[in-house]
Amino acid sequence: MAANTYLTGIKPTGDFHLGNYVGAIKPALAAAEQYDTYYFIADYHALNTVKDAGELRHSIRSGAATWIACGLDPRRTVVYQQSRVPETFELTTILSTLTPKGLMNRAHAYKAARDRNVEAGITDLDAGINMGLFNYPILMAADILVMESTHVPVGRDQTQHLEYTVDIAGYFNHRFGEGYTFPLPKGVIDEGEASILPGVDGRKMSKSYDNHIPLFLPENKLKKAIRRIPTDSTPVEDPKDPESSVPFQLLRHFADADQVAEVRVRLEKGGMGWGELKNELFEAVNAEIAPKRERYEELMAEPERIDAILLEGSECARERARATVDRVRAAIGVA
């Protein structure tokens, strides 16, 4: 087992947006400087919501192409496809036999789905909820534990996922610790602004809120999306509060410190309108994203190349996973 193994998964359920890029992709790529990194496309997690084979196939390739276009080096980071590591699902079954149902009843995703049924006046609170959603935390725990991960990035609103993994590993270690003990992973939590990048309405940028800006929008559409960000009617010459401005908050993540400081002064003193601020935001975002957009389009035009990268990474990941499961099988008495 590597001393420090950093693992993260991405669910292929649609295109990425600027919030994913700033809050997840950039920190994860930076982690490759410090950790032994494993990044996987969580295609079996996506099955809870994606039921179209063509859509899923596209999203798997798109997810891998996005990471690579943004700077992931497959020679340095193992990037793999969850479904190509069957040991993950064997471990899921083993962990399921140790996990109390009551723990799953308290999972945020399951409770949120039931709450939506309550709000809709549906008497069967489990209506529309499949076992994939209910067992989601166990599969996630297996994803983490099968690679003997020591560090896992989590948002401040997603810490339960890692807490459940630690609990489930603890159940196993308590029962079978004499034969094998899982390392207990630590959360890497981004306490900075990146973890709460605002969407166009000021809430956290999210596809579920429909307030996001897609990462690889064509240049003309990106400009239009930024121009449509709502702002108030404060005249150009009047002072403005940068902290209450979504365009300014976004600018802080794409412009250099000098430009951000200059814009702040101009807003606070008056003399800069929202339109000019949005133009500066567009230029800053496009300058950073344009070469990555071009690289992404090149990769998506060669799907066989993406498939080959995922296959090679999956073979490497499976070798590591097989060693873990072999130890687990011996500990529980089936090998």
Side-chain angles (χ1 to χ4, degrees), residues 15-297:
D15 294 333
F16 288 77
H17 53 72
L18 294 182
N20 299 138
Y21 172 69
V22 171
I25 294 176
K26 289 181 71 174
L29 294 177
E33 302 292 330
Q34 183 179 357
Y35 300 98
D36 183 10
T37 45
Y38 285 73
Y39 300 158
F40 68 96
I41 308 296
D43 47 1
Y44 269 24
H45 283 299
L47 287 176
N48 288 326
T49 54
V50 180
K51 307 299 183 185
D52 181 273
E55 177 187 350
L56 182 58
R57 192 172 294 113
H58 168 82
S59 294
I60 290 168
R61 289 170 175 156
S62 177
T66 296
W67 280 94
I68 296 168
C70 288
L72 182 147
D73 183 353
R75 296 167 300 181
R76 185 168 191 169
T77 293
V78 177
V79 55
Y80 64 98
Q81 196 170 331
Q82 179 191 39
S83 60
R84 292 184 179 274
V85 183
E87 287 78 11
T88 301
F89 312 109
E90 180 177 356
L91 182 58
T92 300
T93 298
I94 294 168
L95 298 178
S96 296
T97 67
L98 297 165
T99 304
K101 178 178 178 293
L103 188 69
M104 297 299 97
N105 290 342
R106 297 188 292 276
H108 292 330
Y110 174 60
K111 290 175 65 177
R114 286 171 61 91
D115 289 345
R116 286 194 291 271
N117 284 335
V118 171
E119 294 169 2
I122 300 173
T123 56
D124 178 5
L125 299 186
D126 284 328
I129 300 174
N130 60 47
M131 288 303 296
L133 174 65
F134 186 74
N135 289 330
Y136 184 95
I138 304 177
L139 177 54
M140 182 175 291
D143 288 323
I144 295 169
L145 297 175
V146 79
M147 295 299 167
E148 296 189 314
S149 310
T150 59
H151 294 77
V152 179
V154 291
R156 282 178 289 176
D157 57 346
Q158 299 174 326
T159 56
Q160 189 193 62
H161 297 322
L162 188 62
E163 291 168 355
Y164 271 30
T165 297
V166 172
D167 287 343
I168 292 169
Y171 300 144
F172 181 93
N173 292 348
H174 177 74
R175 183 65 184 83
F176 299 108
E178 290 186 6
Y180 173 72
T181 300
F182 284 115
L184 301 182
K186 299 177 181 178
V188 180
I189 301 175
D190 182 1
E191 296 292 352
E193 298 167 355
S195 63
I196 50 172
L197 189 79
V200 298
D201 60 358
R203 294 182 293 175
K204 180 178 179 180
M205 189 174 287
S206 171
K207 283 182 286 187
S208 62
Y209 294 151
D210 195 25
N211 67 351
H212 63 290
I213 298 176
L215 179 56
F216 294 131
L217 276 179
E219 186 171 316
N220 61 331
K221 292 185 178 180
L222 174 62
K223 189 170 188 176
K224 288 179 181 178
I226 289 175
R227 295 288 298 180
R228 286 197 296 264
I229 297 175
T231 48
D232 60 33
S233 57
T234 305
V236 172
E237 63 274 11
D238 287 3
K240 302 169 185 66
D241 177 16
E243 298 306 321
S244 64
S245 163
V246 169
F248 180 78
Q249 297 304 317
L250 292 173
L251 183 71
R252 293 167 69 169
H253 295 283
F254 291 94
D256 62 43
D258 289 341
Q259 182 182 0
V260 171
E262 178 186 350
V263 169
R264 177 187 289 278
V265 170
R266 293 183 63 196
L267 288 171
E268 291 177 339
K269 288 186 175 181
M272 181 181 223
W274 296 128
E276 185 179 355
L277 171 59
K278 291 177 184 179
N279 287 340
E280 293 217 18
L281 173 60
F282 163 71
E283 294 296 340
V285 173
N286 195 55
E288 182 163 343
I289 297 302
K292 297 174 174 59
R293 181 196 303 127
E294 182 178 354
R295 174 66 171 147
Y296 171 81
E297 291 171 354

